[in-house]
Amino acid sequence: VDRAFDIGDCEFKGQSIGWNSPSGFRNAFLHEYEGEGGLSWMRSFSGLLVTCGLDHTLFMDEQQADHYFYGPRKSVQSSLHGRIATIPGKLLSYGEEWKGDECTLYCEGLVQQSTVFGEDLHLIRRIEVKLGSSEIHLRDRVENHGFYRTPHMYCYHINVGYPVLDAGSEYLAPIKETPWAAHADKYSEQGVGYRKLPEPITNFHEQVWEHEMVPNSEGRIISAVINPRINLAFSVNVAASEFPAQFEWQNFHAGHYAIGIEPSTHHVLGKPFAQERGEEIWLEHEESRSYHSIFTIHEGVSELAQLKSAINSVQMQPAEEYPPVTGNFVKINHG
């Protein structure tokens, strides 16, 4: 509740699914958003789900603030991945809902990212799990509660750790091409490609990829991390219309060891790139955008085979570990 209703710990039959970083679950009241040149976000970065937004995601940026009609505020400075993840929420309701013999456990919360002479964005979040299932349904609505026209950017930093992530684990997704890689100028220097995942590596430098993915017949994109050795996998299912871009984050440094699945409303090059291409999202008063995502834990040979089939039948991912970096960013139309 005190961290934007994000999902911190996640376990399945005693095995950890989510990632616990060295920073741990730091109290939100200790967070210094402006610190370390915008990188202090890292000091509160931990858990299965860390939400990025609501008006900014990705690396630090400064944007003109004319839309807030306040002379002293010439610009809005944004730190890494925005403010929302370290804002305490308000618990609205929680409990159980019954439909016949089917029970759904749920909680709902409100998180406000608001200031005077600036944005007044509300995140209304509902998390649902059907009793006996292995699916988490995340239903978000981001609403402009204020009267200023306000930018909106949104991204989920979904972080999987050991033992789903281990030597021999695989990243699986319906990848058509790879437009961008942060390390493209030294692509294979660390010996880690996008698909086969290694054991922890001392002094590994993070690698980030943007992959262009193909949605299934329902307009949704499923990506996953699978560990065939223990027959355990974790998948993320999002709507392509809601999250048209998706990144793969590799942090395999010993003691950190995580992989991130990152569905995003914008391409990886962030706000300036979106401005140049006319791909920004602006919310007028009472306008909102909704997101419905599904996180699933898969166990056993049969379930892993079904997961692979569901993804491969849509699009076979590149077989090579270092697919060509095309630079071809598909135009995003937010409607």
Side-chain angles (χ1 to χ4, degrees):
V1 176
D2 63 345
R3 291 280 298 273
F5 273 77
D6 278 339
I7 301 173
D9 284 322
C10 180
E11 295 183 353
F12 180 79
K13 296 184 177 180
Q15 298 179 101
S16 180
I17 303 296
W19 173 58
N20 291 321
S21 80
S23 72
F25 299 111
R26 189 182 187 214
N27 190 301
F29 295 106
L30 299 176
H31 188 68
E32 299 175 5
Y33 178 75
E34 311 291 350
E36 299 183 63
L39 291 176
S40 65
W41 184 86
M42 301 287 191
R43 295 191 179 275
S44 300
F45 180 27
S46 191
L48 177 72
L49 170 65
V50 180
T51 303
C52 308
L54 297 171
D55 62 337
H56 173 80
T57 62
L58 302 159
F59 270 99
M60 296 75 78
D61 182 63
E62 185 171 359
Q63 183 182 42
Q64 292 299 308
D66 299 348
H67 49 288
Y68 292 136
F69 296 93
Y70 183 62
R73 174 168 285 172
K74 304 298 183 185
S75 63
V76 175
Q77 295 182 347
S78 299
S79 295
L80 176 65
H81 281 317
R83 300 177 183 273
I84 193 65
T86 53
I87 298 177
K90 299 177 182 178
L91 180 63
L92 300 179
S93 65
Y94 68 96
E96 56 191 55
E97 290 183 345
W98 288 86
K99 293 182 180 178
D101 291 333
E102 185 178 85
C103 176
T104 297
L105 306 178
Y106 75 93
C107 66
E108 291 184 339
L110 168 66
V111 192
Q112 296 178 224
Q113 182 186 322
S114 307
T115 185
V116 177
F117 303 127
E119 79 276 10
D120 184 9
L121 296 172
H122 290 195
L123 167 61
I124 300 93
R125 169 164 287 174
R126 180 181 173 98
I127 302 173
E128 301 174 343
V129 179
K130 288 184 180 179
L131 196 62
S133 80
S134 55
E135 289 186 351
I136 301 169
H137 286 253
L138 184 69
R139 301 180 190 273
D140 286 351
R141 187 174 83 254
V142 177
E143 178 182 316
N144 183 1
H145 197 258
F147 290 83
Y148 294 121
R149 181 172 178 259
T150 301
H152 170 52
M153 299 180 74
Y154 209 45
C155 175
Y156 292 148
H157 215 301
I158 304 163
N159 311 295
V160 180
Y162 179 86
V164 179
L165 171 63
D166 198 359
S169 295
E170 299 176 31
Y171 174 80
L172 186 64
I175 297 169
K176 180 180 179 182
E177 61 179 309
T178 299
W180 184 88
H183 54 298
D185 59 335
K186 43 186 177 182
Y187 209 23
S188 59
E189 187 175 282
Q190 296 190 105
V192 177
Y194 88 95
R195 188 169 57 94
K196 294 181 180 178
L197 309 179
E199 62 186 4
I201 301 170
T202 301
N203 295 329
F204 183 87
H205 189 284
E206 71 164 1
Q207 297 183 165
V208 183
W209 321 62
E210 178 170 349
H211 301 299
E212 179 65 28
M213 300 189 186
V214 179
N216 62 20
S217 60
E218 297 176 342
R220 302 189 67 86
I221 295 170
I222 302 174
S223 50
V225 179
I226 66 172
N227 185 337
R229 181 181 61 82
I230 59 174
N231 290 314
L232 192 64
F234 176 82
S235 70
V236 175
N237 179 330
V238 299
S241 59
E242 297 167 3
F243 292 112
Q246 193 156 156
F247 322 133
E248 175 189 0
W249 177 66
Q250 298 177 331
N251 181 13
F252 300 143
H253 173 60
H256 290 187
Y257 202 49
I259 183 168
I261 296 173
E262 298 184 62
S264 172
T265 56
H266 294 79
H267 288 303
V268 72
L269 296 179
K271 191 172 287 183
F273 190 66
Q275 291 172 337
E276 292 171 9
R277 292 164 54 95
E279 295 176 350
E280 293 176 284
I281 299 174
W282 289 90
L283 298 179
E284 301 288 351
H285 172 59
E286 292 190 336
E287 276 193 317
S288 66
R289 294 183 72 92
S290 295
Y291 306 89
H292 175 208
S293 307
I294 306 167
F295 307 157
T296 307
I297 299 163
H298 309 259
E299 182 190 34
V301 174
S302 176
E303 289 193 13
L304 264 63
Q306 290 175 10
L307 174 62
K308 285 185 176 181
S309 177
I311 294 174
N312 291 336
S313 64
V314 175
Q315 173 72 40
M316 292 292 295
Q317 67 190 68
E320 62 267 41
E321 286 294 325
Y322 305 95
V325 177
T326 66
N328 178 32
F329 292 93
V330 173
K331 177 70 176 178
I332 293 177
N333 181 8
H334 290 292

